[in-house]
Amino acid sequence: MAAQQGWSFRMTPIRKLLILLATICVGVSIFRLATGLGLVTNLNDEWPWGLWIGFDVLTGVALAGGGYFTAIIVHVLHRDQFHPIARGAMLTSLLGYLLVLAGLFLDVGQWFNFWRPFVSWGHTSVLFEVFWCISCYTTVQVLEFGEIFTERVGKKWHNAFKAAMPVLMIIGIIFPTLHQSSLGGLYLIAVHKLYPLWWSTLIPYFFLISSFFVGPAMICVESTLAGNAYNHKVPIEVLRGLGRIGGWFMLLYLVLKIYDLSNRGVWDLVFAGNLEGNLFLLEMILGVIVPIFIIFSGMSKSRSGLFIYGLLVSGGVVLNRMNVVFTGMSGTSGGSYFPSIWEWSVSIGLVSIGVLVYCFIVENFNILDHGDHHSA
Amino acid sequence: MAKGVLVDLTKCVGCGGCTVACKLWNDMKFDDNNPTVGDKAKLSGKNWTVVHAHQVKNKDGETVWRFNKQQCLHCLEPACASACFAKALQKTKDGPVIYYPHLCVGCRYCMIACPFNIPKYEWDKTFPLVSKCQMCSTKIARGEAPACVSVCPQGVFKFGERDELLKEAKAIIAKDDKYIKEIYGEKEVGGTSWMYISDIPFKDLGFKTGLGTTPLPTYSHNFLRYTPFVAVGWGIILTGLYHYTKRRNTISKETNIKG
C-alpha cells in the first residue's frame, strides 16, 4: 500500500526538459486544432497519413501491447512469478493508449466530429473495429487502473473495483486481440498500394503476433530503465521467462512470414537490393532473427542481454510499422512526404507527456513494489 | 437501375468544357495551383474533374494527342464507402458514390482505400473535408446527365443505364478496328459506373492498370466477418483458462501445505 502522505514529484534536469517538450507539444496542438492540418503538417493528397498515424497510432498501439500480454500471462494463466511486472506493464499500456487517442484526435480533420462513428455505423470498415475496440479498451484500462487509484484516493470504492477486475481483465484482452490485428487489417484494402513484401492477406495476423511478442520486449526495456531510475530490480529469471514466451511467438511469426513469402512467390523481392527489400531484411534480421538467437541462448542470462533483446524487438516492430506506413506505400504514392518540425514536436511531446505522467504515478501509487499482490 | 457514363477517348479534343461545367454546377472555385486542363492538370480539393493531355504514339507509329478526363469512377463496390467508418461515403442505387460532409470525421482512410486515388482533402482549411466528384447526383435523380456530360461539344460521353452502355461499348469496339479490345471500368475492381473506350492502351494515358477484378471491400469483409466469432470464442477460452489455472494454483498450494 502506498503509505506516504502528500503528493510528490521529484524535479530533475531531464524532467525539466521533458516539461519543456510537453509544453511545446501542447502549444503546437492548440495551433493545429485552430488552423487545420495544412499549416502544421506536410501531409498532402499523395500522403494522407503521416507521422501521427504511423508513429503515434500504429506504433503506439503495438508498443502498448505489453498490457494485454501481461494480463494474459499473470491474470488469466495465473503465472504468479510474473507478478512483479504486472502493474508497471499495464500502466505503460494505459498511458500508451491515452497518447494514441490524443494523436488520433490531432490527426482527424473534423476533430469535433470524432464521436460520429459511435452513432453512424460504418461497420464494413476495418477502421470501425479499430475505433470501437480502442475506445472500449481504453475505458476498460482506466477502470482497471481504478483498482490502483482507489488504494489511495476514494478508498471506499476499492473493493468494488477489485471485485470487477476478473471481468475487466478478460474484456480487456478481447479488445486488443481484435484491434491489434485490425490495425494490420486496415491495409488489406490497400492491395494495389502497399508493397508486396508487406501486403498480404495475413497482415492482420502479423500485426497481432508482433504486438504480442513486443510486450515482453517492452517490459525488458521499461523495467531496465525503471530499475535504474527507481532502484527497483525485477529478477532476471522473471524477465527471461517472459522474453522466452515472446521468443516462441517470434518463431511462430518467422515461420508464418517464410510460409507467406513462399506462398505468394515474392522471395525475389526480398533480395532485390532496393530500399523496400533492404528495409524488409533489416526488419526481419535485426528485429526477429537476432533476438530469437539472443533469448534462447546464454546471452539472455544477463540484464544487458535482455535489454538489448528488448531494444531490438521493439525497434523491429517500430521499423515494421514504419515500413508499412511509409516505405511500403512510397512506391505508389507519387508525391513526397517528410514530417514537418511541428509534426515531430507533437510526437516527441506526446511521448514526453507519457514519461512524465508515468513518473508521477510510479512515485505516488503502488506500481513497482507489487510482487506480493495476490491476483484478483 | 444504376446509371453510368461511357467515355469515348478517341473523340475528345481536350477543350476542357466539361471541367468548367463541373465548376459552375458545383459552385467550385478555380484552383490557382492546379490547372484543370493540360499535362499539369491535377485533381484537388477544388478540382473534381480534370482533362490530362498526353502525347502518345498510335498504332501506326504517329505521334498524336490524346486526352483523358479524370474524375471519380463511381465503383460498383466502392472501396472508399466500405472504408468509411462513419458512412460519410455511400453508394446510391442510381450509381453515384456520394459524400455526406456532416458525417465525416476527417480520418482520410477513404484516400488510402481508393485504388484510383480520387478523394482529395482541403488541406488549407481549418475544418477540412474530403472532396470528390458526386456525379451530379441531384441531376441524375431527376433523370438528367451530369453537368460535364451535358456540355461536351464533341459527343465524347454517353449517359444511360450502365448495362446498356456496356453492351453498346462492346459493339463499338468489336465493329471498329481502331479501338483496343478492352473497356476500362467494365471489370476493374469489380466494375465502375464510368467506362472508357480508347484507341491507345489505357496504361499510356495515365490510367491505373493491373487492378484486378476483385472488388476491394472483399478483402476487408473476409477479415471482418470472423470478428464476432473471435470475440465470443476468445472470451470463452479466456474465462475457462482463468478458472482452470486459478483452481490449479489453489490445489498445488494446498498440496504443498499438506505435504
Side-chain angles (χ1 to χ4, degrees), chain B residues 24-259:
Chain B
L24 293 177
W25 177 260
N26 295 299
D27 199 15
M28 306 281 285
K29 296 253 166 11
F30 278 86
D31 187 347
D32 296 334
N33 301 318
N34 300 300
T36 56
V37 184
D39 50 2
K40 290 192 177 63
K42 203 174 168 209
L43 290 180
S44 72
K46 293 175 188 134
N47 294 345
W48 283 1
T49 184
V50 296
V51 175
H52 290 281
H54 293 275
Q55 216 173 0
V56 288
K57 290 245 185 339
N58 69 5
K59 275 179 196 159
D60 305 325
E62 297 160 343
T63 302
V64 291
W65 282 98
R66 285 295 176 270
F67 306 92
N68 161 20
K69 177 178 180 298
Q70 194 188 15
Q71 77 295 307
C72 175
L73 290 158
H74 300 276
C75 303
L76 300 186
E77 293 189 49
C80 60
S82 94
C84 181
F85 70 153
K87 286 181 139 344
L89 287 156
Q90 294 178 29
K91 173 95 177 165
T92 67
K93 59 177 176 16
D94 285 344
V97 177
I98 302 180
Y99 174 64
Y100 298 95
H102 68 288
L103 295 175
C104 182
V105 180
C107 71
R108 310 184 293 284
Y109 187 33
C110 52
M111 300 173 74
I112 299 283
C114 175
F116 305 107
N117 291 330
I118 297 298
K120 302 298 170 199
Y121 208 56
E122 299 173 335
W123 296 105
D124 51 343
K125 300 219 172 130
T126 299
F127 298 117
L129 293 167
V130 170
S131 183
K132 77 166 198 67
C133 158
Q134 312 269 28
M135 209 171 157
C136 296
S137 60
T138 50
K139 292 190 76 170
I140 288 187
R142 292 201 302 256
E144 295 168 20
C148 56
V149 167
S150 60
V151 299
C152 180
Q154 291 298 111
V156 172
F157 309 105
K158 193 158 265 178
F159 172 72
E161 294 293 326
R162 183 182 185 269
D163 297 346
E164 284 164 25
L165 291 175
L166 192 56
K167 272 185 224 154
E168 205 175 321
K170 282 180 179 164
I172 294 172
I173 61 173
K175 213 162 45 191
D176 194 336
D177 268 350
K178 77 176 174 187
Y179 290 99
I180 54 162
K181 305 301 169 204
E182 192 188 331
I183 303 165
Y184 192 90
E186 181 189 3
K187 291 178 181 156
E188 270 72 16
V189 291
T192 61
S193 298
W194 280 66
M195 294 169 293
Y196 293 75
I197 52 176
S198 165
D199 59 342
I200 305 286
F202 290 108
K203 198 168 190 270
D204 300 344
L205 298 176
F207 282 77
K208 298 239 180 276
T209 52
L211 295 177
T213 58
T214 312
L216 301 189
T218 314
Y219 294 100
S220 313
H221 177 73
N222 284 344
F223 165 67
L224 283 175
R225 64 186 168 147
Y226 297 113
T227 302
F229 307 107
V230 172
V232 174
W234 191 212
I236 293 169
I237 292 170
L238 288 171
T239 312
L241 282 172
Y242 172 84
H243 289 291
Y244 169 73
T245 54
K246 193 174 180 183
R247 174 108 185 102
R248 190 190 56 191
N249 282 7
T250 317
I251 290 171
S252 78
K253 266 177 209 154
E254 279 168 6
T255 323
N256 285 345
I257 292 164
K258 277 176 196 161

Side-chain angles (χ1 to χ4, degrees), chain A residues 76 107 110 120 125 177 186 192, chain B residues 83 86 108-109 114 128 211 234 245:
Chain A
V76 171
D107 196 76
Q110 306 278 318
S120 182
S125 172
T177 309
L186 286 177
H192 307 292
Chain B
R108 310 184 293 284
Y109 187 33
C114 175
L211 295 177
W234 191 212
T245 54

